Amino acid sequence: TFREALDRLDNPVALGYSSAGLVVEAGKDVHRFSPGDRVACIGAGYATHSEYISIPENLCSIIPEGVSFSEASSAMLGIIALHGVRCARIGFSETAAVIGLGLLGLLTVQILRAYGSRVAGIDIDPEKVNIAKSIKAGHSFCSKEALKDHLEKLTRGCGVDAVIVTASTSSEEPVHTAVDLVRFGGKIVIVGVADIHPLRNEMWHKEVEILVSKGGGPGVFDPFYENKGIDYPIGYARWTQNRNLEEFLRLLADGRVDIDALISHQFPVEDAEKVYQDLLQNKGGPYVGVVLNYPGSETEPLQSESFG
């Protein structure tokens, strides 16, 4: 087993799961796309960091006018954030807190505001808090006490309707903080990676619901949906991966989500190996959104990918 694991680690694997580019050729049974179309692509194993990819129909969508390749290349991250917001089932003018203001968190606060929610966020990194403030993504804090004080005033001591955790940590503190901030009967959605060991008595006292959102919505990892292009009827699954993809691109086109402000670095693909080394060694940051550009037209790259 050990040798087999090492053999698998030695095999090169195409990285990435979010890209944008031009259609070169469409399959004979594909009618939504034609050569020359600008498309956003999603999906691990499909929308890889490659010059050419082959991708199923349900994992791509036409890029609206006015949306650049680099903006559209954030689509997978965008629909992960969007699906997390949908899982929270938060209504217009209701309140939400976002724990973790990395790329997913910054997208989440913008989507919440685009849908009319009142939102506040927290991150231990002052740079990310400053980015949130610069894009006017609600009130943002580095201190739990400051966030809690703000939310108590905002909700008159009731607590927020939902907390979305977009942090990536092995600590259980984000979930404890979420339970502390949410109202009675509220919902906590885990979009990032956190240790989920809430205190039972605290959850019992508030009847809190905790949900872990899965990818970009219904259809993720379903071989019939992703590989064979069999869609879910809209009456049974209103917001599938692909419909979330179209909606996120609409938010970009309408200017409701600002991606350019979140792109901290852009590099040619030839520098990708050094970029990954710098990321692992925490050199040259802080990194938020990073775009790899491929050779293409003079005005825009043929394809670019974004990751956080």
Side-chain angles (χ1 to χ4, degrees), residues 14 16-19 41-50 52-56 59 223 226-228 303:
Y17 53 77
S18 190
S19 63
C41 307
I42 60 172
Y46 296 107
T48 58
H49 296 288
S50 310
Y52 292 93
I53 62 174
S54 177
I55 191 159
L59 298 184
E226 292 194 340
N227 300 340
K228 297 183 180 298
Q303 184 178 29

Side-chain angles (χ1 to χ4, degrees), residues 27 70 291:
S70 60
V291 174

